[in-house]
Amino acid sequence: MGRGDRTDAEWERLRPFLPVSNRRCGRWRDHRQVIDGIPHRVRTGVQWRDLPERFGPWKTVYERHRLWSADGTWERLLQQVQAEADATEEIDWDISVDSTIMRAHQHAAGARTEPPPAPASKGGPNRQTPGRNAVAEPRRPPGGGGAGGEGLGRSRGGFTTKLHLSADGRCRPLSLIVTPGQRADCTQFKPVLEKIRVPRIGPGRPRKKPESLAADKAYSNGPCREYLRRRGIRHTIPEKTDSRAARPRKGSRGGRPPGFDEERYKKRNTVERAINRLKDARAVATRYDKRGYVFPGTATAAALVIWLRT
């Protein structure tokens, strides 16, 4: 086993949920060999063509990663690992939300403007996990229509991509969303929270609601607070200085100042540490993926490794 490869215990946690061949389009190359190759590229940022020979043909590893990014396999694997952790009460549901900027490499530009065709899958999710616990159904890959459609944009950092995420109290990503670099944090607050979906091992609906939430001033606006109140989520978000100054001028229309738990807010560093863990993977810290549906798969694969190793 090479450095960074999956251990036998980690492999057994993933194996039951991997796609299986439908026996009509040829046989899959060994899943374990490919699963070791994809995280190796994510961790090192090496070009696909330069993958070590022990992972097999680089084209096979790349196509498997592209396919699994498009059909939601990486998301299914992540959610199943989260479900195991939730079943043993290992998830700290006092979550935090934030975003981070990744510089996009020049190779990430230049994608075709038309949407890519839906990939032809050799297999689907394992039939042992049907019903209400089935998650992240296969979908047509998004993208096309220029850099914006591929999650690329211009910000103070230049040519960038922004990753919005929520993290549990143990510094592990719960949900991930990719947007162009100039997109405001507050616009993705609701999508990030609604993407939290941890299935139950037994009967029951997936868990979607955290016990409490902490976020910085970027999320301190009326729509974000109203959304949290409507869902009954306790939250700690500091008020912006201009909002605090405007309240006395509005009189009774200004309302009461929002509550703020200073001790709870100190724990918001968990999402910052989760970002640091994700950026340990060089293919996440710098975006090399050209297509807008492949890079979220790369970030999700990095998050999956964090959950397996924690």
Side-chain angles (χ1 to χ4, degrees), residues 5 32-42 48 51 55 61:
D5 291 352
R32 186 165 187 176
Q33 184 183 33
V34 173
I35 283 184
D36 285 340
I38 294 173
H40 176 86
R41 182 264 175 180
V42 172
W48 289 104
L51 275 176
F55 299 123
V61 182

Side-chain angles (χ1 to χ4, degrees), residues 32 41 78 98 157 310:
R32 186 165 187 176
R41 182 264 175 180
L78 177 61
D98 207 349
T310 306

Side-chain angles (χ1 to χ4, degrees), residues 10 13 90 170-172 277 305-310:
E10 293 170 353
R13 294 175 66 185
E90 294 180 2
R170 298 183 64 187
C171 311
R172 299 174 296 188
R277 286 184 175 184
V305 172
I306 293 174
W307 279 88
L308 289 174
R309 295 288 171 90
T310 306

Side-chain angles (χ1 to χ4, degrees), residues 5 9 14 39 83 105 108 114 117 119-120 146 167 177 181 193 236 241 243 265 309:
D5 291 352
L14 297 177
H105 194 270
E114 68 274 8
I177 288 181
L193 291 183
T236 298
T241 303
S243 299
Y265 189 70
R309 295 288 171 90

Side-chain angles (χ1 to χ4, degrees), residues 77-130:
L77 292 176
L78 177 61
Q79 290 171 351
Q80 292 297 339
V81 172
Q82 291 173 346
E84 292 179 356
D86 188 50
T88 55
E89 299 183 353
E90 294 180 2
I91 297 182
D92 185 347
W93 284 98
D94 291 329
I95 73 168
S96 301
V97 177
D98 207 349
S99 69
T100 183
I101 290 284
M102 283 81 63
R103 188 67 180 266
H105 194 270
Q106 60 185 2
H107 293 167
R112 297 188 303 271
T113 56
E114 68 274 8
S121 173
K122 290 185 179 180
N126 193 311
R127 297 302 180 184
Q128 297 178 356
T129 57

